[in-house]
Amino acid sequence: MVAEMRIYGDPILRKKAESVKNFDKSLAELVDTLIVTMKQEDGVGLAAPQIGCSLRVAVIDPTGGEEEPLVLINPKITSSSEEHVDNEEGCLSIPGISLKVSRPSLVSVHAFDRDGNEYVIENAEGLLARALQHELDHLDGILFVDRVSPVARQLVAGKLKKLAKTGREKAKVA
Ligand code: CO
């Protein structure tokens, strides 16, 4: 089932999401909904708060559907490189805006899969590294527009203000 996307301005996008405690059927359903919704929206990744669920769950598909999406539950970044790289980012919750964001070029992540098995991703790079950091930010209520320079943010301030109005209204009926 495809879920409705929460849009910038929706307060759930700013909440720190809660850790998953039970690897049960409802978690499996949430993961499936995230994957289906991410694919439907052609996204590289999707975090649970973006579909209105404040839990530390995210999915990532940096291969455009060629491989099974990565499922990240209670993920943590365990190390990141000092070297940063600039690249364009967008977000399904912030439609119509993309900006260059500087992020560490390499990250290692520790997470659990949908069955509760621990795993690690060592020194992810490129799109995967970027998607991991972007999605993990969502779990702490951080959006990519928070990570750009004040000047860049100023350039999209008008668009963000309009989106925020839509996002708040959608949140009220959700
Ligand atoms: Co996003």
Side-chain angles (χ1 to χ4, degrees):
M1 192 189 70
V2 174
E4 180 139 10
M5 197 64 55
R6 299 302 185 99
I7 300 299
Y8 184 86
D10 188 320
I12 200 163
L13 295 174
R14 291 310 196 174
K15 265 177 74 176
K16 192 171 160 68
E18 285 185 28
S19 295
V20 169
K21 292 194 181 69
N22 300 308
F23 290 78
D24 55 11
K25 191 163 166 264
S26 74
L27 176 68
E29 283 169 4
L30 170 63
V31 169
D32 287 338
T33 303
L34 280 167
I35 291 172
V36 171
T37 306
M38 170 178 67
K39 290 190 171 178
Q40 164 86 14
E41 304 283 341
D42 258 335
V44 175
L46 190 61
Q50 293 182 272
I51 60 166
C53 176
S54 198
L55 280 174
R56 303 188 82 77
V57 181
V59 296
I60 293 181
D61 174 20
T63 68
E66 273 179 35
E67 285 171 30
E68 283 291 301
L70 267 178
V71 175
L72 298 129
I73 296 164
N74 299 342
K76 277 197 180 82
I77 292 179
T78 52
S79 71
S80 49
S81 61
E82 268 176 44
E83 190 202 13
H84 278 55
V85 58
D86 269 6
N87 226 323
E88 203 82 19
E89 272 181 48
C91 179
L92 293 173
S93 294
I94 313 180
I97 294 179
S98 64
L99 293 168
K100 278 212 166 139
V101 184
S102 169
R103 294 192 189 266
S105 52
L106 298 174
V107 288
S108 296
V109 169
H110 170 272
F112 295 84
D113 70 13
R114 62 198 297 162
D115 301 315
N117 303 309
E118 270 182 277
Y119 69 97
V120 290
I121 303 169
E122 299 273 12
N123 291 321
E125 56 183 3
L127 182 58
L128 177 59
R130 187 158 292 273
L132 284 165
Q133 293 173 78
H134 178 115
E135 299 311 327
L136 267 64
D137 268 354
H138 272 299
L139 307 182
D140 290 323
I142 299 166
L143 302 171
F144 81 93
V145 291
D146 303 337
R147 295 204 180 274
V148 303
S149 69
V151 176
R153 198 179 162 122
Q154 194 53 43
L155 289 174
V156 296
K159 274 190 185 173
L160 282 176
K161 207 174 161 189
K162 260 188 218 152
L163 269 183
K165 198 165 169 254
T166 312
R168 277 196 302 270
E169 274 160 19
K170 274 184 92 173
K172 271 185 222 152
V173 296

